[in-house]
Amino acid sequence: MSRFLLIVLMSFFSIFSASAANADFMRSIGKIYVVVGVMLLLFLGITLYLILIDRRLTKFENQIKSDE
Amino acid sequence: MIEKGKIWKFSGVILIVYVIIAGLLIPLKPGIESVEPSYGNAGETLKIQVTGYNTHFKEAGNSLRAWLKWDNGKAIAATEMVALDERRMNLTFSIPNNLPENTEVQAVTLLIDSETDGTSVLPSAIFLTQTEEVIAAEEVPWVKPANFSNNGMITFPFRNILGETIRNTYFHVPLWFGMMFLFLFAVIHSIKYLRKGDAESDLKAEAYTQTGIIYGLLGLITGALWAKNTWGAYWSWDIKQNMTVVALLIYAAYFILRASFEDPEKRARVCAAYGIFAFSTLIPLLYVIPRLTDSLHPGSGGNPAFGSQDLDNTMRMVFYPAVIGFTLFGFWLSSLQFRYLRLQKLREDLD
């Protein structure tokens, strides 16, 4: 789980570092890759939130199991 | 197939799918990307090369027309037009000896019109300099640009600095609208709790606040990426950016406050009051203070964000569904969070 979280976080940073390292690429074709980046960040962010809820539920489930 | 109570979740997703498809597939209106050189002198024969975006200079053929227009309405037509390819064109203008305005340097707008592309405008395309020496008056063939073509295509507006990133309007801006709705519902449930003392209202307020903060954070980082490629830096210490961070920090304190109480009833009461306070700071921080000073962000520094400059009718057809879609999606995320909190509370009550 935490490894997955790490991958998501790394993708966040790679979007930013890619846009910083290669401004020409980000600004080619009328800056369309900025839109791609924004959509990716949005998707990753929502995924991160789902992972958060998922983890809490798993913990909760385990508690119930141990109660029984 | 879909239960009645789930239709709103489903429609939120459908709206977002529509927004992604329409928001990415509708092309930008043909526009002028750059002009080289961007300066000239009075009285000279000025040759410029125009680089267009989504243009069809070759295909337009004889229907191409071009003007240089001064702010006072006077304009001169291009004397020669040579399309190099679909995106590049050479224009020649004979600049009058006596420029029509009194300043030394005058900015002129470039207008290009053709049947295939419609009208493209580049404000302040060329800066013309006129020296003080008086030159004999001449007959200048002033024209009035008219009979603009309309190619009838469905397009998004072309803005020089934005380019394709104008599409971010459907992904970055709705996050903030969604956040406002989520915080609004949080405050409604906080008030409900204070009036009726129903523990579920408190949990709902917590769930909405949490999703609202997630939306706010996503709005900040998508905004930073957008800003890097239009304003030039991820963070410009712009008033809008700073005030947004302050607002989000005020909301972050809500969770610190929640964690610091043992007694659930006391926690619910104090947090409900704090939630109302946090919401009441949100409006001045996000919508009042940035308007009072200069800001890079649209909708600040006196310029309203929803003038015809920023959002045309085609954009509205995508933008409003985007706002509704992302808001419904946020409610769905909050409901998941709320159901988890309710389950946990049930279990605590059983113990």
Side-chain angles (χ1 to χ4, degrees), chain A residues 18-35, chain B residues 33 53 87 160-165 224-234:
Chain A
S19 82
N22 200 344
D24 285 344
F25 170 72
M26 285 304 275
R27 288 169 200 187
S28 60
I29 328 179
K31 301 183 182 176
I32 189 69
Y33 291 110
V34 180
V35 183
Chain B
E33 200 171 82
Y53 191 81
R87 286 192 59 189
N160 204 266
I161 301 168
L162 293 180
E164 300 278 358
T165 69
L225 185 65
W226 194 2
K228 172 70 182 167
N229 295 287
T230 47
W231 302 345
Y234 292 117

PDB file of all heavy atoms in Angstrom, chain A residues 18-35, chain B residues 33 53 87 160-165 224-234:
ATOM      1  N   ALA A  18       9.257  17.486 -14.878  1.00  0.00           N
ATOM      2  CA  ALA A  18       9.290  17.415 -16.341  1.00  0.00           C
ATOM      3  C   ALA A  18       8.949  18.776 -16.924  1.00  0.00           C
ATOM      4  O   ALA A  18       9.568  19.217 -17.894  1.00  0.00           O
ATOM      5  CB  ALA A  18       8.294  16.371 -16.842  1.00  0.00           C
ATOM      6  N   SER A  19       7.982  19.449 -16.311  1.00  0.00           N
ATOM      7  CA  SER A  19       7.590  20.745 -16.862  1.00  0.00           C
ATOM      8  C   SER A  19       8.662  21.792 -16.595  1.00  0.00           C
ATOM      9  O   SER A  19       8.811  22.743 -17.334  1.00  0.00           O
ATOM     10  CB  SER A  19       6.250  21.189 -16.282  1.00  0.00           C
ATOM     11  OG  SER A  19       6.430  21.773 -15.027  1.00  0.00           O
ATOM     12  N   ALA A  20       9.433  21.598 -15.510  1.00  0.00           N
ATOM     13  CA  ALA A  20      10.476  22.572 -15.212  1.00  0.00           C
ATOM     14  C   ALA A  20      11.695  22.332 -16.097  1.00  0.00           C
ATOM     15  O   ALA A  20      12.304  23.266 -16.609  1.00  0.00           O
ATOM     16  CB  ALA A  20      10.875  22.486 -13.746  1.00  0.00           C
ATOM     17  N   ALA A  21      12.051  21.031 -16.282  1.00  0.00           N
ATOM     18  CA  ALA A  21      13.263  20.707 -17.020  1.00  0.00           C
ATOM     19  C   ALA A  21      13.102  20.986 -18.505  1.00  0.00           C
ATOM     20  O   ALA A  21      14.045  21.360 -19.175  1.00  0.00           O
ATOM     21  CB  ALA A  21      13.634  19.248 -16.800  1.00  0.00           C
ATOM     22  N   ASN A  22      11.908  20.794 -19.015  1.00  0.00           N
ATOM     23  CA  ASN A  22      11.738  20.908 -20.454  1.00  0.00           C
ATOM     24  C   ASN A  22      10.570  21.828 -20.786  1.00  0.00           C
ATOM     25  O   ASN A  22       9.515  21.389 -21.205  1.00  0.00           O
ATOM     26  CB  ASN A  22      11.528  19.519 -21.054  1.00  0.00           C
ATOM     27  CG  ASN A  22      11.837  19.523 -22.526  1.00  0.00           C
ATOM     28  OD1 ASN A  22      11.910  20.580 -23.143  1.00  0.00           O
ATOM     29  ND2 ASN A  22      12.000  18.354 -23.089  1.00  0.00           N
ATOM     30  N   ALA A  23      10.802  23.105 -20.586  1.00  0.00           N
ATOM     31  CA  ALA A  23       9.752  24.084 -20.830  1.00  0.00           C
ATOM     32  C   ALA A  23       9.349  24.084 -22.308  1.00  0.00           C
ATOM     33  O   ALA A  23       8.183  24.309 -22.630  1.00  0.00           O
ATOM     34  CB  ALA A  23      10.216  25.465 -20.414  1.00  0.00           C
ATOM     35  N   ASP A  24      10.311  23.792 -23.189  1.00  0.00           N
ATOM     36  CA  ASP A  24       9.986  23.784 -24.612  1.00  0.00           C
ATOM     37  C   ASP A  24       8.944  22.728 -24.938  1.00  0.00           C
ATOM     38  O   ASP A  24       8.023  22.955 -25.715  1.00  0.00           O
ATOM     39  CB  ASP A  24      11.248  23.511 -25.444  1.00  0.00           C
ATOM     40  CG  ASP A  24      12.136  24.739 -25.505  1.00  0.00           C
ATOM     41  OD1 ASP A  24      11.614  25.822 -25.169  1.00  0.00           O
ATOM     42  OD2 ASP A  24      13.311  24.597 -25.873  1.00  0.00           O
ATOM     43  N   PHE A  25       9.117  21.557 -24.294  1.00  0.00           N
ATOM     44  CA  PHE A  25       8.158  20.483 -24.543  1.00  0.00           C
ATOM     45  C   PHE A  25       6.778  20.885 -24.029  1.00  0.00           C
ATOM     46  O   PHE A  25       5.782  20.753 -24.729  1.00  0.00           O
ATOM     47  CB  PHE A  25       8.620  19.194 -23.859  1.00  0.00           C
ATOM     48  CG  PHE A  25       7.581  18.116 -23.860  1.00  0.00           C
ATOM     49  CD1 PHE A  25       7.269  17.451 -25.039  1.00  0.00           C
ATOM     50  CD2 PHE A  25       6.901  17.794 -22.697  1.00  0.00           C
ATOM     51  CE1 PHE A  25       6.299  16.470 -25.042  1.00  0.00           C
ATOM     52  CE2 PHE A  25       5.930  16.818 -22.704  1.00  0.00           C
ATOM     53  CZ  PHE A  25       5.635  16.150 -23.877  1.00  0.00           C
ATOM     54  N   MET A  26       6.737  21.410 -22.786  1.00  0.00           N
ATOM     55  CA  MET A  26       5.454  21.800 -22.202  1.00  0.00           C
ATOM     56  C   MET A  26       4.768  22.871 -23.036  1.00  0.00           C
ATOM     57  O   MET A  26       3.557  22.983 -23.053  1.00  0.00           O
ATOM     58  CB  MET A  26       5.657  22.313 -20.766  1.00  0.00           C
ATOM     59  CG  MET A  26       5.935  21.238 -19.747  1.00  0.00           C
ATOM     60  SD  MET A  26       4.706  19.942 -19.667  1.00  0.00           S
ATOM     61  CE  MET A  26       3.500  20.674 -18.553  1.00  0.00           C
ATOM     62  N   ARG A  27       5.570  23.689 -23.704  1.00  0.00           N
ATOM     63  CA  ARG A  27       4.967  24.807 -24.428  1.00  0.00           C
ATOM     64  C   ARG A  27       4.819  24.538 -25.922  1.00  0.00           C
ATOM     65  O   ARG A  27       4.441  25.426 -26.673  1.00  0.00           O
ATOM     66  CB  ARG A  27       5.794  26.068 -24.186  1.00  0.00           C
ATOM     67  CG  ARG A  27       5.566  26.548 -22.763  1.00  0.00           C
ATOM     68  CD  ARG A  27       6.500  27.603 -22.301  1.00  0.00           C
ATOM     69  NE  ARG A  27       6.480  27.626 -20.826  1.00  0.00           N
ATOM     70  CZ  ARG A  27       7.092  28.515 -20.086  1.00  0.00           C
ATOM     71  NH1 ARG A  27       7.772  29.468 -20.659  1.00  0.00           N
ATOM     72  NH2 ARG A  27       7.030  28.459 -18.784  1.00  0.00           N
ATOM     73  N   SER A  28       5.098  23.291 -26.367  1.00  0.00           N
ATOM     74  CA  SER A  28       4.911  22.988 -27.783  1.00  0.00           C
ATOM     75  C   SER A  28       3.424  22.740 -28.057  1.00  0.00           C
ATOM     76  O   SER A  28       2.641  22.533 -27.133  1.00  0.00           O
ATOM     77  CB  SER A  28       5.739  21.757 -28.167  1.00  0.00           C
ATOM     78  OG  SER A  28       5.326  20.648 -27.413  1.00  0.00           O
ATOM     79  N   ILE A  29       3.085  22.772 -29.347  1.00  0.00           N
ATOM     80  CA  ILE A  29       1.704  22.564 -29.807  1.00  0.00           C
ATOM     81  C   ILE A  29       0.716  23.385 -28.983  1.00  0.00           C
ATOM     82  O   ILE A  29      -0.235  22.859 -28.397  1.00  0.00           O
ATOM     83  CB  ILE A  29       1.296  21.078 -29.807  1.00  0.00           C
ATOM     84  CG1 ILE A  29       2.491  20.165 -30.111  1.00  0.00           C
ATOM     85  CG2 ILE A  29       0.212  20.820 -30.853  1.00  0.00           C
ATOM     86  CD1 ILE A  29       2.176  18.708 -30.107  1.00  0.00           C
ATOM     87  N   GLY A  30       0.960  24.666 -28.903  1.00  0.00           N
ATOM     88  CA  GLY A  30       0.017  25.544 -28.220  1.00  0.00           C
ATOM     89  C   GLY A  30      -0.163  25.224 -26.747  1.00  0.00           C
ATOM     90  O   GLY A  30      -1.234  25.433 -26.191  1.00  0.00           O
ATOM     91  N   LYS A  31       0.880  24.681 -26.078  1.00  0.00           N
ATOM     92  CA  LYS A  31       0.864  24.371 -24.645  1.00  0.00           C
ATOM     93  C   LYS A  31      -0.162  23.304 -24.270  1.00  0.00           C
ATOM     94  O   LYS A  31      -0.666  23.295 -23.148  1.00  0.00           O
ATOM     95  CB  LYS A  31       0.596  25.634 -23.815  1.00  0.00           C
ATOM     96  CG  LYS A  31       1.610  26.728 -24.035  1.00  0.00           C
ATOM     97  CD  LYS A  31       1.317  27.914 -23.128  1.00  0.00           C
ATOM     98  CE  LYS A  31       2.296  29.041 -23.384  1.00  0.00           C
ATOM     99  NZ  LYS A  31       2.010  30.236 -22.616  1.00  0.00           N
ATOM    100  N   ILE A  32      -0.470  22.395 -25.180  1.00  0.00           N
ATOM    101  CA  ILE A  32      -1.488  21.377 -24.883  1.00  0.00           C
ATOM    102  C   ILE A  32      -1.046  20.459 -23.752  1.00  0.00           C
ATOM    103  O   ILE A  32      -1.864  19.937 -22.999  1.00  0.00           O
ATOM    104  CB  ILE A  32      -1.859  20.576 -26.153  1.00  0.00           C
ATOM    105  CG1 ILE A  32      -3.064  19.669 -25.905  1.00  0.00           C
ATOM    106  CG2 ILE A  32      -0.698  19.750 -26.671  1.00  0.00           C
ATOM    107  CD1 ILE A  32      -4.370  20.374 -25.695  1.00  0.00           C
ATOM    108  N   TYR A  33       0.273  20.272 -23.578  1.00  0.00           N
ATOM    109  CA  TYR A  33       0.739  19.357 -22.528  1.00  0.00           C
ATOM    110  C   TYR A  33       0.487  19.907 -21.130  1.00  0.00           C
ATOM    111  O   TYR A  33       0.468  19.157 -20.162  1.00  0.00           O
ATOM    112  CB  TYR A  33       2.222  19.018 -22.718  1.00  0.00           C
ATOM    113  CG  TYR A  33       2.439  18.171 -23.944  1.00  0.00           C
ATOM    114  CD1 TYR A  33       3.074  18.682 -25.068  1.00  0.00           C
ATOM    115  CD2 TYR A  33       1.941  16.867 -23.993  1.00  0.00           C
ATOM    116  CE1 TYR A  33       3.226  17.911 -26.205  1.00  0.00           C
ATOM    117  CE2 TYR A  33       2.093  16.101 -25.129  1.00  0.00           C
ATOM    118  CZ  TYR A  33       2.742  16.624 -26.232  1.00  0.00           C
ATOM    119  OH  TYR A  33       2.871  15.865 -27.350  1.00  0.00           O
ATOM    120  N   VAL A  34       0.284  21.225 -21.026  1.00  0.00           N
ATOM    121  CA  VAL A  34      -0.099  21.791 -19.738  1.00  0.00           C
ATOM    122  C   VAL A  34      -1.480  21.257 -19.342  1.00  0.00           C
ATOM    123  O   VAL A  34      -1.734  20.921 -18.179  1.00  0.00           O
ATOM    124  CB  VAL A  34      -0.108  23.329 -19.800  1.00  0.00           C
ATOM    125  CG1 VAL A  34      -0.508  23.920 -18.464  1.00  0.00           C
ATOM    126  CG2 VAL A  34       1.254  23.849 -20.211  1.00  0.00           C
ATOM    127  N   VAL A  35      -2.373  21.154 -20.332  1.00  0.00           N
ATOM    128  CA  VAL A  35      -3.707  20.615 -20.062  1.00  0.00           C
ATOM    129  C   VAL A  35      -3.600  19.146 -19.659  1.00  0.00           C
ATOM    130  O   VAL A  35      -4.251  18.697 -18.711  1.00  0.00           O
ATOM    131  CB  VAL A  35      -4.615  20.780 -21.299  1.00  0.00           C
ATOM    132  CG1 VAL A  35      -6.019  20.302 -21.000  1.00  0.00           C
ATOM    133  CG2 VAL A  35      -4.634  22.228 -21.755  1.00  0.00           C
TER     134      VAL A  35
ATOM    135  N   GLU B  33      -0.294  33.859 -33.563  1.00  0.00           N
ATOM    136  CA  GLU B  33       0.595  33.497 -32.462  1.00  0.00           C
ATOM    137  C   GLU B  33       1.666  34.566 -32.248  1.00  0.00           C
ATOM    138  O   GLU B  33       1.888  35.006 -31.139  1.00  0.00           O
ATOM    139  CB  GLU B  33       1.244  32.143 -32.759  1.00  0.00           C
ATOM    140  CG  GLU B  33       1.793  31.452 -31.535  1.00  0.00           C
ATOM    141  CD  GLU B  33       2.211  30.032 -31.857  1.00  0.00           C
ATOM    142  OE1 GLU B  33       3.329  29.832 -32.370  1.00  0.00           O
ATOM    143  OE2 GLU B  33       1.407  29.117 -31.617  1.00  0.00           O
ATOM    144  N   TYR B  53      -1.931  30.306 -35.625  1.00  0.00           N
ATOM    145  CA  TYR B  53      -2.204  29.046 -34.941  1.00  0.00           C
ATOM    146  C   TYR B  53      -3.532  28.527 -35.464  1.00  0.00           C
ATOM    147  O   TYR B  53      -4.519  29.257 -35.486  1.00  0.00           O
ATOM    148  CB  TYR B  53      -2.275  29.270 -33.420  1.00  0.00           C
ATOM    149  CG  TYR B  53      -2.293  27.971 -32.662  1.00  0.00           C
ATOM    150  CD1 TYR B  53      -1.113  27.280 -32.419  1.00  0.00           C
ATOM    151  CD2 TYR B  53      -3.492  27.414 -32.234  1.00  0.00           C
ATOM    152  CE1 TYR B  53      -1.119  26.075 -31.763  1.00  0.00           C
ATOM    153  CE2 TYR B  53      -3.516  26.206 -31.568  1.00  0.00           C
ATOM    154  CZ  TYR B  53      -2.323  25.547 -31.337  1.00  0.00           C
ATOM    155  OH  TYR B  53      -2.334  24.334 -30.686  1.00  0.00           O
ATOM    156  N   ARG B  87       0.577  28.199 -41.904  1.00  0.00           N
ATOM    157  CA  ARG B  87       0.739  28.917 -40.643  1.00  0.00           C
ATOM    158  C   ARG B  87       1.588  30.173 -40.747  1.00  0.00           C
ATOM    159  O   ARG B  87       1.687  30.920 -39.789  1.00  0.00           O
ATOM    160  CB  ARG B  87       1.340  27.980 -39.571  1.00  0.00           C
ATOM    161  CG  ARG B  87       0.344  26.961 -39.047  1.00  0.00           C
ATOM    162  CD  ARG B  87       0.875  26.268 -37.824  1.00  0.00           C
ATOM    163  NE  ARG B  87       1.177  27.203 -36.752  1.00  0.00           N
ATOM    164  CZ  ARG B  87       1.821  26.863 -35.638  1.00  0.00           C
ATOM    165  NH1 ARG B  87       2.240  25.643 -35.480  1.00  0.00           N
ATOM    166  NH2 ARG B  87       2.058  27.763 -34.699  1.00  0.00           N
ATOM    167  N   ASN B 160      -3.592  34.703 -26.866  1.00  0.00           N
ATOM    168  CA  ASN B 160      -2.193  34.552 -27.232  1.00  0.00           C
ATOM    169  C   ASN B 160      -1.349  33.835 -26.197  1.00  0.00           C
ATOM    170  O   ASN B 160      -0.599  32.918 -26.517  1.00  0.00           O
ATOM    171  CB  ASN B 160      -1.619  35.912 -27.546  1.00  0.00           C
ATOM    172  CG  ASN B 160      -0.437  35.773 -28.456  1.00  0.00           C
ATOM    173  OD1 ASN B 160       0.672  35.723 -27.992  1.00  0.00           O
ATOM    174  ND2 ASN B 160      -0.687  35.616 -29.747  1.00  0.00           N
ATOM    175  N   ILE B 161      -1.438  34.249 -24.905  1.00  0.00           N
ATOM    176  CA  ILE B 161      -0.575  33.631 -23.891  1.00  0.00           C
ATOM    177  C   ILE B 161      -1.095  32.249 -23.510  1.00  0.00           C
ATOM    178  O   ILE B 161      -0.339  31.336 -23.240  1.00  0.00           O
ATOM    179  CB  ILE B 161      -0.486  34.533 -22.641  1.00  0.00           C
ATOM    180  CG1 ILE B 161       0.075  35.895 -23.025  1.00  0.00           C
ATOM    181  CG2 ILE B 161       0.363  33.893 -21.563  1.00  0.00           C
ATOM    182  CD1 ILE B 161      -0.068  36.938 -21.958  1.00  0.00           C
ATOM    183  N   LEU B 162      -2.419  32.110 -23.508  1.00  0.00           N
ATOM    184  CA  LEU B 162      -3.008  30.855 -23.036  1.00  0.00           C
ATOM    185  C   LEU B 162      -2.835  29.723 -24.031  1.00  0.00           C
ATOM    186  O   LEU B 162      -2.470  28.617 -23.659  1.00  0.00           O
ATOM    187  CB  LEU B 162      -4.496  31.051 -22.749  1.00  0.00           C
ATOM    188  CG  LEU B 162      -4.848  31.957 -21.582  1.00  0.00           C
ATOM    189  CD1 LEU B 162      -6.351  32.034 -21.435  1.00  0.00           C
ATOM    190  CD2 LEU B 162      -4.233  31.431 -20.308  1.00  0.00           C
ATOM    191  N   GLY B 163      -3.097  29.980 -25.314  1.00  0.00           N
ATOM    192  CA  GLY B 163      -3.078  28.903 -26.291  1.00  0.00           C
ATOM    193  C   GLY B 163      -4.065  27.819 -25.901  1.00  0.00           C
ATOM    194  O   GLY B 163      -5.190  28.110 -25.484  1.00  0.00           O
ATOM    195  N   GLU B 164      -3.612  26.562 -25.976  1.00  0.00           N
ATOM    196  CA  GLU B 164      -4.503  25.444 -25.669  1.00  0.00           C
ATOM    197  C   GLU B 164      -4.869  25.372 -24.185  1.00  0.00           C
ATOM    198  O   GLU B 164      -5.821  24.704 -23.811  1.00  0.00           O
ATOM    199  CB  GLU B 164      -3.860  24.114 -26.087  1.00  0.00           C
ATOM    200  CG  GLU B 164      -3.525  24.006 -27.564  1.00  0.00           C
ATOM    201  CD  GLU B 164      -4.714  23.620 -28.420  1.00  0.00           C
ATOM    202  OE1 GLU B 164      -5.789  23.394 -27.854  1.00  0.00           O
ATOM    203  OE2 GLU B 164      -4.555  23.563 -29.654  1.00  0.00           O
ATOM    204  N   THR B 165      -4.062  26.039 -23.332  1.00  0.00           N
ATOM    205  CA  THR B 165      -4.334  25.913 -21.895  1.00  0.00           C
ATOM    206  C   THR B 165      -5.650  26.568 -21.499  1.00  0.00           C
ATOM    207  O   THR B 165      -6.069  26.440 -20.348  1.00  0.00           O
ATOM    208  CB  THR B 165      -3.221  26.530 -21.026  1.00  0.00           C
ATOM    209  OG1 THR B 165      -3.244  27.936 -21.183  1.00  0.00           O
ATOM    210  CG2 THR B 165      -1.870  25.986 -21.379  1.00  0.00           C
ATOM    211  N   ALA B 224      -0.812  25.883 -10.091  1.00  0.00           N
ATOM    212  CA  ALA B 224       0.628  26.145 -10.132  1.00  0.00           C
ATOM    213  C   ALA B 224       1.223  25.696 -11.464  1.00  0.00           C
ATOM    214  O   ALA B 224       2.033  26.409 -12.065  1.00  0.00           O
ATOM    215  CB  ALA B 224       1.322  25.440  -8.970  1.00  0.00           C
ATOM    216  N   LEU B 225       0.804  24.531 -11.933  1.00  0.00           N
ATOM    217  CA  LEU B 225       1.323  24.028 -13.213  1.00  0.00           C
ATOM    218  C   LEU B 225       0.894  24.941 -14.365  1.00  0.00           C
ATOM    219  O   LEU B 225       1.677  25.231 -15.281  1.00  0.00           O
ATOM    220  CB  LEU B 225       0.823  22.600 -13.456  1.00  0.00           C
ATOM    221  CG  LEU B 225       1.381  21.903 -14.698  1.00  0.00           C
ATOM    222  CD1 LEU B 225       2.874  21.700 -14.560  1.00  0.00           C
ATOM    223  CD2 LEU B 225       0.698  20.575 -14.934  1.00  0.00           C
ATOM    224  N   TRP B 226      -0.351  25.400 -14.284  1.00  0.00           N
ATOM    225  CA  TRP B 226      -0.865  26.306 -15.312  1.00  0.00           C
ATOM    226  C   TRP B 226      -0.095  27.625 -15.265  1.00  0.00           C
ATOM    227  O   TRP B 226       0.303  28.178 -16.287  1.00  0.00           O
ATOM    228  CB  TRP B 226      -2.360  26.529 -15.081  1.00  0.00           C
ATOM    229  CG  TRP B 226      -3.089  27.152 -16.229  1.00  0.00           C
ATOM    230  CD1 TRP B 226      -2.581  27.498 -17.460  1.00  0.00           C
ATOM    231  CD2 TRP B 226      -4.473  27.499 -16.253  1.00  0.00           C
ATOM    232  NE1 TRP B 226      -3.574  28.033 -18.233  1.00  0.00           N
ATOM    233  CE2 TRP B 226      -4.731  28.047 -17.536  1.00  0.00           C
ATOM    234  CE3 TRP B 226      -5.514  27.398 -15.336  1.00  0.00           C
ATOM    235  CZ2 TRP B 226      -6.007  28.509 -17.901  1.00  0.00           C
ATOM    236  CZ3 TRP B 226      -6.780  27.846 -15.708  1.00  0.00           C
ATOM    237  CH2 TRP B 226      -7.021  28.387 -16.981  1.00  0.00           C
ATOM    238  N   ALA B 227       0.140  28.117 -14.032  1.00  0.00           N
ATOM    239  CA  ALA B 227       0.822  29.399 -13.866  1.00  0.00           C
ATOM    240  C   ALA B 227       2.244  29.334 -14.401  1.00  0.00           C
ATOM    241  O   ALA B 227       2.737  30.277 -15.014  1.00  0.00           O
ATOM    242  CB  ALA B 227       0.838  29.800 -12.393  1.00  0.00           C
ATOM    243  N   LYS B 228       2.931  28.190 -14.166  1.00  0.00           N
ATOM    244  CA  LYS B 228       4.311  28.037 -14.629  1.00  0.00           C
ATOM    245  C   LYS B 228       4.409  28.320 -16.128  1.00  0.00           C
ATOM    246  O   LYS B 228       5.362  28.928 -16.600  1.00  0.00           O
ATOM    247  CB  LYS B 228       4.793  26.615 -14.317  1.00  0.00           C
ATOM    248  CG  LYS B 228       6.132  26.252 -14.907  1.00  0.00           C
ATOM    249  CD  LYS B 228       7.262  26.987 -14.235  1.00  0.00           C
ATOM    250  CE  LYS B 228       8.587  26.645 -14.883  1.00  0.00           C
ATOM    251  NZ  LYS B 228       9.646  27.558 -14.458  1.00  0.00           N
ATOM    252  N   ASN B 229       3.408  27.865 -16.879  1.00  0.00           N
ATOM    253  CA  ASN B 229       3.487  27.967 -18.329  1.00  0.00           C
ATOM    254  C   ASN B 229       2.738  29.164 -18.914  1.00  0.00           C
ATOM    255  O   ASN B 229       2.656  29.301 -20.129  1.00  0.00           O
ATOM    256  CB  ASN B 229       2.992  26.665 -18.956  1.00  0.00           C
ATOM    257  CG  ASN B 229       3.900  25.519 -18.614  1.00  0.00           C
ATOM    258  OD1 ASN B 229       4.997  25.414 -19.127  1.00  0.00           O
ATOM    259  ND2 ASN B 229       3.472  24.655 -17.695  1.00  0.00           N
ATOM    260  N   THR B 230       2.158  29.994 -18.046  1.00  0.00           N
ATOM    261  CA  THR B 230       1.547  31.214 -18.572  1.00  0.00           C
ATOM    262  C   THR B 230       2.092  32.456 -17.862  1.00  0.00           C
ATOM    263  O   THR B 230       2.478  33.411 -18.502  1.00  0.00           O
ATOM    264  CB  THR B 230       0.013  31.176 -18.434  1.00  0.00           C
ATOM    265  OG1 THR B 230      -0.323  30.745 -17.117  1.00  0.00           O
ATOM    266  CG2 THR B 230      -0.605  30.233 -19.434  1.00  0.00           C
ATOM    267  N   TRP B 231       2.151  32.418 -16.529  1.00  0.00           N
ATOM    268  CA  TRP B 231       2.689  33.569 -15.792  1.00  0.00           C
ATOM    269  C   TRP B 231       4.200  33.458 -15.640  1.00  0.00           C
ATOM    270  O   TRP B 231       4.852  34.411 -15.246  1.00  0.00           O
ATOM    271  CB  TRP B 231       2.076  33.677 -14.384  1.00  0.00           C
ATOM    272  CG  TRP B 231       0.590  33.785 -14.345  1.00  0.00           C
ATOM    273  CD1 TRP B 231      -0.227  34.074 -15.394  1.00  0.00           C
ATOM    274  CD2 TRP B 231      -0.259  33.613 -13.202  1.00  0.00           C
ATOM    275  NE1 TRP B 231      -1.532  34.078 -14.969  1.00  0.00           N
ATOM    276  CE2 TRP B 231      -1.579  33.813 -13.644  1.00  0.00           C
ATOM    277  CE3 TRP B 231      -0.021  33.331 -11.867  1.00  0.00           C
ATOM    278  CZ2 TRP B 231      -2.664  33.713 -12.769  1.00  0.00           C
ATOM    279  CZ3 TRP B 231      -1.099  33.240 -11.015  1.00  0.00           C
ATOM    280  CH2 TRP B 231      -2.410  33.432 -11.468  1.00  0.00           C
ATOM    281  N   GLY B 232       4.775  32.244 -15.836  1.00  0.00           N
ATOM    282  CA  GLY B 232       6.220  32.085 -15.800  1.00  0.00           C
ATOM    283  C   GLY B 232       6.774  31.463 -14.536  1.00  0.00           C
ATOM    284  O   GLY B 232       7.940  31.143 -14.484  1.00  0.00           O
ATOM    285  N   ALA B 233       5.969  31.304 -13.487  1.00  0.00           N
ATOM    286  CA  ALA B 233       6.481  30.696 -12.257  1.00  0.00           C
ATOM    287  C   ALA B 233       5.350  29.911 -11.600  1.00  0.00           C
ATOM    288  O   ALA B 233       4.175  30.261 -11.738  1.00  0.00           O
ATOM    289  CB  ALA B 233       6.998  31.754 -11.296  1.00  0.00           C
ATOM    290  N   TYR B 234       5.736  28.835 -10.878  1.00  0.00           N
ATOM    291  CA  TYR B 234       4.714  28.066 -10.176  1.00  0.00           C
ATOM    292  C   TYR B 234       4.015  28.951  -9.149  1.00  0.00           C
ATOM    293  O   TYR B 234       2.813  28.890  -8.957  1.00  0.00           O
ATOM    294  CB  TYR B 234       5.343  26.880  -9.442  1.00  0.00           C
ATOM    295  CG  TYR B 234       5.879  25.825 -10.364  1.00  0.00           C
ATOM    296  CD1 TYR B 234       7.231  25.527 -10.395  1.00  0.00           C
ATOM    297  CD2 TYR B 234       5.032  25.137 -11.212  1.00  0.00           C
ATOM    298  CE1 TYR B 234       7.724  24.557 -11.244  1.00  0.00           C
ATOM    299  CE2 TYR B 234       5.516  24.170 -12.072  1.00  0.00           C
ATOM    300  CZ  TYR B 234       6.861  23.890 -12.074  1.00  0.00           C
ATOM    301  OH  TYR B 234       7.345  22.946 -12.919  1.00  0.00           O
TER     302      TYR B 234
END
